[in-house]
Amino acid sequence: MRITVLGATGGTGRQFVDQALDAGHHVTAVVRDPARLRLRRADAPRLDVVTADVMDPEAIGASVAGRDAVVSALGATARTEASVCSDGARAIIAAMRTTGTRRLVVVTASGHVVDEGDGPFTRTLVKPVLRRVLRGNFADFARTDRIVRDSGLDWTIMRPPRLTDGAPRPYRTATDRNVRGGLTLARADLARAILATLAEPASVRHTIGLGY
């Protein structure tokens, strides 16, 4: 596939780019600062690095045109960036509509959603605390979910729990609900799950919960 990745300088984004290249895909990494990319195989012939403002649909239009899929691994690195996921989703969707690209995978989180996948302890204690501490981030994820769902594109929303830099290991997924007891996930496994989702047509217009 020809895949464009936004948020490629983040922990999940770098993992995804490396794994996608290992799998033989052609990857376009859209970044603001190429020096922050630090990929394991940055010299791969199937990798294009494009410097652009990811919040500007016109600036990223050429990078999403003609692609088989677009992946957003955007995430806030500071409290002042509390709208980065939703603002980025708006820009990406606008660029995809203009260029005709259809397949979109966006990473948000499981923490801002309470559903039947959550156990009683998580529903009544863990998530109320997280919602107070991470109010701005969770509000951004909720806005992002709504924007992506209303896009009319062939979308999938990935909802991981707390991300770590741990080693890959077997993980669980659940369609349209959170994973019971899935409190953590390695970024390497999230990247692996995104790649698997891109190859699974049944995931279109669904959310995917993840966790160990």
Side-chain angles (χ1 to χ4, degrees):
M1 289 185 287
R2 294 175 58 84
I3 307 168
T4 293
V5 184
L6 299 100
T9 58
T12 299
R14 289 196 298 269
Q15 286 280 350
F16 178 83
V17 172
D18 275 329
Q19 291 186 31
L21 292 171
D22 286 343
H25 302 297
H26 187 289
V27 178
T28 300
V30 181
V31 300
R32 288 179 173 175
D33 181 5
R36 295 181 54 209
L37 197 52
R38 300 193 302 274
L39 295 176
R40 173 168 48 80
R41 47 181 306 168
D43 60 344
R46 285 174 281 100
L47 173 66
D48 295 324
V49 179
V50 176
T51 303
D53 181 356
V54 298
M55 303 299 171
D56 182 348
E58 292 186 3
I60 64 176
S63 298
V64 305
R67 298 322 193 261
D68 298 299
V70 176
V71 173
S72 173
L74 293 170
T77 58
R79 291 187 183 274
T80 56
E81 298 178 332
S83 65
V84 65
C85 290
S86 54
D87 290 345
R90 288 189 185 94
I92 294 164
I93 290 165
M96 292 177 68
R97 285 172 173 165
T98 298
T99 60
T101 302
R102 297 286 309 167
R103 187 71 171 104
L104 173 64
V105 174
V106 174
V107 177
T108 60
S110 64
H112 73 289
V113 175
V114 177
D115 61 27
E116 65 272 18
D118 296 310
F121 178 74
T122 299
R123 288 197 305 268
T124 60
L125 182 61
V126 175
K127 289 198 171 177
V129 171
L130 288 176
R131 283 178 166 178
R132 288 195 296 271
V133 175
L134 301 172
R135 185 182 298 110
N137 299 94
F138 282 5
D140 189 31
F141 292 145
R143 287 193 300 270
T144 303
D145 282 0
R146 290 193 297 269
I147 291 165
V148 172
R149 287 177 180 275
D150 293 341
S151 68
L153 301 175
D154 297 333
W155 56 266
T156 304
I157 297 170
M158 311 295 290
R159 287 181 175 162
R162 183 175 65 86
L163 294 172
T164 74
D165 292 320
R169 58 191 177 101
Y171 61 88
R172 294 177 291 151
T173 64
T175 300
D176 295 327
R177 62 182 176 85
N178 292 326
V179 170
R180 179 69 63 93
L183 301 180
T184 64
L185 186 75
R187 291 176 176 86
D189 285 327
L190 174 55
R192 189 155 55 105
I194 295 170
L195 274 174
T197 296
L198 288 174
E200 180 49 72
S203 69
V204 171
R205 302 198 177 182
H206 289 285
T207 63
I208 305 296
L210 301 110
Y212 293 130

